[in-house]
């Protein structure tokens, strides 16, 4: 909040803020926990201990969008509103909401203790929604049967590619039930479990909250990445002489880098390095959460490149466009199977957030009112 003379309130030490606001090994740079919306927005341009957290996920929104729209300019790509791109747009929505919710949570969490809790509940919700957005993209672009066309009886399918031998099938009888009936529902259920668990760490399990949150989000990664794991453990569905095969050869590299950045981000999030080694030295710039943000964005960027490589591989084989001209083993994306899934998930997540927000208001509402009485600084005048 600002004094009437236009000067912002001084930043505080960890001894001057409520215990709920204190971050491990961060000693200074705290904002007063009763900022107005205007003052929170202006604090993005002040060196506080949340400034870097805001910018390391706000600027990536524009970087991600720049690389994302490149797909629609490719030769042979359908129009941007074609059903083929429904999964990709859902993936974009998931990433966009994640980055914006994260940056806004760090920027606005000083409005009150209750708002602080709500901000991070929304943050956890968007992370979970992002994992389902990724799953939809994996399902339609990296699914082992994505684009496989029925050319014979009910049980025979192969890639309808030029120069592709008829006997070179890419069937997955052992996993077909999981991929076709359980994969997306499993991703949604796991996402909901993650939201519940992470929101709970703000009201209980406080001592091990960073470890719990990190491990909890390992589960959706494992479930969502199942199509990629299958692709890496089997041969490519494309003919070795096709342009699609060449386009998809970069998929393993991008996925391994995606995993590496996730691992590094987890290490930063749990270890609290480097501020653990020198408390107070990295309060404003360079503390672990900023590095955590940078690494998670790099992982998302490599994931985007991986998905784009698979999209290009399908686009280079016109007979594989979803939905194909003939009956496909894997139905093409529809509004219901993409936007409908995300809408249902988001509705569930919002319900969970509302419940935890109500509980947070019951717990921290009285503290918020007490803080307002003890620190009536917005009414001070300069002399």
């Amino acid at each position: 909040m600002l004094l009437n003379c236009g000067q912002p309130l001084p930043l505080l030490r960890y001894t001057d803020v409520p215990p709920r606001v204190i971050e491990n090994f961060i000693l200074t740079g705290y904002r007063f926990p009763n900022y107005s919306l205007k003052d929170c927005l202006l604090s993005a341009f002040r060196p506080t201990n949340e400034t870097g957290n805001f910018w390391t996920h706000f600027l990536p929104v524009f970087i991600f969008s720049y690389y994302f729209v490149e797909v629609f300019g490719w030769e042979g790509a359908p129009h941007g509103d074609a059903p083929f791109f429904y999964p990709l747009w859902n993936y974009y929505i998931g990433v966009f909401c994640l980055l914006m919710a994260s940056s806004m949570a760090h920027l606005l969490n000083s409005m009150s203790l209750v708002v602080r809790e709500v901000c991070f509940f929304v943050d956890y919700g968007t992370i979970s929604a992002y994992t389902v957005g990724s799953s939809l993209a994996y399902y339609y672009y990296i699914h082992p049967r994505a684009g496989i066309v029925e050319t014979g009886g009910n049980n025979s399918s192969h890639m309808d590619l030029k120069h592709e031998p008829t006997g070179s099938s890419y069937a997955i009888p052992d996993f077909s039930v999981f991929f076709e009936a359980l994969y997306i529902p499993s991703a949604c259920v796991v996402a909901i479990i993650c939201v519940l668990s992470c929101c709970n760490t703000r009201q209980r399990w406080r001592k091990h909250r960073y470890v719990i949150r990190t491990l909890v989000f390992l589960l959706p990664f494992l479930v969502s990445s199942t199509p990629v794991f299958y692709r890496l453990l089997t041969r490519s569905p494309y003919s070795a002489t096709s342009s699609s095969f060449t386009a998809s050869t970069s998929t393993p590299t991008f996925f391994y880098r995606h995993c590496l950045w996730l691992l590094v981000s987890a290490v930063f999030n749990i270890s609290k390095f480097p501020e653990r080694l020198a408390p107070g030295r990295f309060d404003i710039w360079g503390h672990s959460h900023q590095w955590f943000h940078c690494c998670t964005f790099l992982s998302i960027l490599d994931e985007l490149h991986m998905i784009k490589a698979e999209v290009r591989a399908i686009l280079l084989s016109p007979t594989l466009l979803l939905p194909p001209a003939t009956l496909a083993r894997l139905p093409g994306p529809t509004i219901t199977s993409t936007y409908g899934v995300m809408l249902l998930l988001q509705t569930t997540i919002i319900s969970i957030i509302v419940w935890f927000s109500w509980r947070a208001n019951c717990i921290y509402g009285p503290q918020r009112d007490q803080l307002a009485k003890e620190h009536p600084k917005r009414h001070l005048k300069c002399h």
Side-chain angles (χ1 to χ4, degrees):
M1 65 193 67
L2 297 177
L3 300 179
N4 288 356
C5 59
Q7 295 299 317
L9 288 173
L11 298 178
L12 307 176
R13 290 183 56 82
Y14 74 101
T15 54
D16 302 321
V17 296
R20 185 68 177 179
V21 177
I22 299 174
E23 297 292 341
N24 294 337
F25 311 109
I26 302 297
L27 307 184
T28 62
Y30 291 95
R31 296 171 295 174
F32 185 80
N34 241 344
Y35 266 38
S36 67
L37 174 60
K38 176 183 177 182
D39 296 327
C40 283
L41 296 176
L42 290 175
S43 70
F45 305 98
R46 292 184 65 197
T48 75
N49 58 27
E50 291 283 22
T51 304
N53 294 336
F54 167 75
W55 289 108
T56 49
H57 262 180
F58 183 72
L59 292 179
V61 171
F62 303 97
I63 300 173
F64 179 84
S65 299
Y66 172 81
Y67 286 106
F68 176 81
V69 297
E70 181 185 28
V71 175
F72 306 109
W74 287 348
E75 183 178 355
H79 194 270
D81 60 358
F84 176 76
F85 284 129
Y86 286 173
L88 196 63
W89 278 114
N90 276 267
Y91 173 67
Y92 177 82
I93 292 171
V95 174
F96 177 85
C97 290
L98 180 156
L99 296 175
M100 287 300 296
S102 174
S103 57
M104 290 298 110
H106 287 289
L107 187 63
L108 304 179
N109 66 48
S110 282
M111 292 182 67
S112 73
L113 293 178
V114 175
V115 170
R116 179 182 178 85
E117 297 301 295
V118 174
C119 282
F120 289 110
F121 292 154
V122 173
D123 189 17
Y124 305 145
T126 56
I127 294 174
S128 296
Y130 150 74
T131 65
V132 175
S134 297
S135 298
L136 288 170
Y138 291 177
Y139 182 74
Y140 285 106
Y141 304 130
I142 311 179
H143 186 294
R145 286 189 183 276
I148 296 181
V149 180
E150 294 283 4
T151 57
N154 292 334
N155 296 323
S156 64
S157 62
H158 69 277
M159 301 300 292
D160 190 12
L161 282 169
K162 294 180 180 179
H163 311 300
E164 181 73 18
T166 304
S168 180
S169 61
Y170 190 67
I172 51 166
D174 295 338
F175 299 97
S176 59
V177 173
F178 171 75
F179 281 125
E180 294 168 21
L182 300 176
Y183 173 63
I184 296 298
S186 297
C188 292
V189 170
V190 169
I192 292 171
I193 292 173
C194 287
V195 177
L196 289 168
S197 301
C198 288
C199 288
N200 257 314
T201 62
R202 299 200 68 82
Q203 297 178 355
R204 61 183 70 177
W205 313 327
R206 293 283 299 168
K207 183 176 181 181
H208 304 290
R209 60 189 183 277
Y210 296 112
V211 175
I212 293 173
R213 292 170 196 167
T214 302
L215 294 179
V216 158
F217 281 112
L218 176 63
L219 182 58
F221 164 77
L222 294 175
V223 173
S224 298
S225 301
T226 306
V228 187
F229 293 144
Y230 189 90
R231 175 67 64 85
L232 295 176
L233 295 174
T234 59
R235 65 177 180 79
S236 172
Y238 304 108
S239 168
T241 59
S242 68
S243 54
S244 295
F245 179 86
T246 303
S248 65
T249 53
S250 60
T251 293
T253 300
F254 286 129
F255 181 70
Y256 294 143
R257 282 168 40 178
H258 169 66
C259 296
L260 174 63
W261 289 122
L262 285 178
L263 177 62
V264 175
S265 68
V267 170
F268 276 119
N269 196 38
I270 295 175
S271 68
K272 298 304 170 187
F273 177 87
E275 66 267 21
R276 176 185 290 271
L277 302 180
R281 180 171 297 180
F282 301 96
D283 289 351
I284 307 300
W285 302 108
H287 59 75
S288 61
H289 204 79
Q290 294 169 11
W291 292 113
F292 168 72
H293 276 194
C294 292
C295 291
T296 53
F297 173 65
L298 289 173
S299 76
I300 290 173
L301 201 57
D302 278 323
E303 180 184 49
L304 173 64
H305 291 319
M306 175 183 68
I307 294 172
K308 286 170 61 178
E310 292 300 319
V311 169
R312 182 185 287 275
I314 295 177
L315 291 176
L316 288 172
S317 302
T319 55
L320 299 184
L321 285 178
L322 300 175
T326 56
L327 180 63
R329 186 68 181 87
L330 175 67
T334 64
I335 291 179
T336 302
S337 67
T338 53
Y339 294 105
V341 169
M342 286 292 281
L343 179 61
L344 182 60
L345 175 71
Q346 293 284 21
T347 302
T348 305
I349 289 176
I350 290 173
S351 301
I352 295 172
I353 292 172
V354 169
W355 164 250
F356 277 98
S357 299
W358 176 79
R359 291 181 57 183
N361 186 62
C362 293
I363 297 172
Y364 301 108
Q367 295 184 34
R368 173 195 57 200
D369 299 337
Q370 184 63 27
L371 277 172
K373 293 178 181 179
E374 293 177 357
H375 301 274
K377 294 185 180 293
R378 67 173 69 241
H379 306 296
L380 293 179
K381 298 182 180 291
C382 292
H383 298 287

